[in-house]
Amino acid sequence: MKFKISSFSDIVKAMGLVFGDIGTSPIYTLVIVFTLTRPSHDNLFGILSLIFWTLIILVTIEYAWLAMSLSIKGEGGVIVLKEVLSSFVKKGKKATIVAYLGYFGISLLMGDGVITPAISILSAVEGLPLIHGFEWITGNIVILITMVITIILFAFQYKGTDKVASSFGPIMIIWFISLFISGFISILNMPSILLAISPTYAISFLTHNGLAGILVLSEVILCATGGE
């Protein structure tokens, strides 16, 4: 199968359509995790390590490599994965199990599609009170602003994926550049944070926190929303 070389405009559209979600997920994940977990040095490094390896294993290996390689004429997704698996099993109980797994995967995808926009927008708007001069913004106002933005975005989607991607692509490029600059400066101020890349911190966090550490994984998994 021949692949067309993407133009710069296609890359910009991909930034707005594909990478916008995964580019914000790890940020609000930290907010949610530390709302329920005591912020300490060990917990910080452990959770950052969990987030890093979740992105590597789930998004890079499972989604980008494994799932993308299991395609039909370049098309992927849960339904295509179901068709690929169905070709390896005969009719009967195994085929039924594969079908139910497909339905389950589609249900998860639909649930993610419903909850992720709300969480992403809410986490972004929650930062407004941290800006000097906007301290007066209360939680109710944050929710109201989030609702308005969500309604506008969904109302705009009828114009089609192409126009939506073209509109948000440049915004996401600015967003990622801002993340890079702020992240690079933060690393210069605290280079030891790079030690969190080591999986030993993630393993140590899980072993020392027991069931609570396992429950934290249900929050950490939010960092991968949008990867699918």
Side-chain angles (χ1 to χ4, degrees):
M1 180 179 178
K2 294 182 179 180
F3 293 93
K4 179 183 177 182
I5 298 177
S6 300
S7 63
F8 179 74
S9 61
D10 292 332
I11 296 174
V12 172
K13 290 178 182 178
M15 293 291 286
L17 184 64
V18 179
F19 296 100
D21 197 352
I22 194 67
T24 56
S25 298
I27 297 176
Y28 66 70
T29 299
L30 282 173
V31 176
I32 294 174
V33 169
F34 284 112
T35 300
L36 304 174
T37 306
R38 184 173 62 87
S40 64
H41 178 275
D42 292 338
N43 287 345
L44 173 63
F45 275 67
I47 290 170
L48 285 177
S49 183
L50 283 172
I51 291 175
F52 176 81
W53 286 104
T54 298
L55 291 172
I56 293 296
I57 295 173
L58 190 59
V59 178
T60 304
I61 297 178
E62 184 179 343
Y63 289 163
W65 176 66
L66 181 60
M68 292 292 286
S69 62
L70 296 174
S71 62
I72 298 178
K73 296 182 179 180
E75 297 294 331
V78 176
I79 297 177
V80 172
L81 288 176
K82 172 186 170 296
E83 293 300 320
V84 172
L85 290 175
S86 297
S87 64
F88 290 100
V89 297
K90 298 180 180 180
K91 293 182 179 180
K93 291 184 178 180
K94 291 183 178 180
T96 303
I97 293 174
V98 170
Y100 278 113
L101 287 175
Y103 300 145
F104 181 67
I106 294 172
S107 300
L108 291 177
L109 183 61
M110 292 177 65
D112 176 71
V114 171
I115 194 174
T116 300
I119 295 178
S120 299
I121 298 171
L122 181 62
S123 62
V125 178
E126 280 179 336
L128 287 177
L130 301 177
I131 302 175
H132 180 69
F134 290 89
E135 295 87 353
W136 55 271
I137 296 180
T138 62
N140 291 332
I141 296 177
V142 167
I143 294 175
L144 180 61
I145 295 173
T146 302
M147 291 174 60
V148 171
I149 294 175
T150 304
I151 292 172
I152 292 174
L153 288 178
F154 277 97
F156 182 68
Q157 281 191 327
Y158 80 94
K159 293 182 177 293
T161 303
D162 186 70
K163 290 187 177 180
V164 173
S166 299
S167 301
F168 284 93
I171 297 175
M172 292 313 304
I173 290 177
I174 296 173
W175 168 251
F176 281 116
I177 292 175
S178 302
L179 281 182
F180 172 78
I181 295 174
S182 60
F184 184 73
I185 294 174
S186 298
I187 290 174
L188 290 179
N189 292 330
M190 187 181 177
S192 61
I193 199 68
L194 293 175
L195 295 174
I197 294 176
S198 172
T200 56
Y201 286 98
I203 297 171
S204 176
F205 177 83
L206 293 175
T207 54
H208 283 81
N209 289 276
L211 180 60
I214 300 299
L215 293 176
V216 168
L217 284 177
S218 64
E219 303 160 5
V220 170
I221 197 66
L222 290 173
C223 72
T225 55
E228 67 282 349

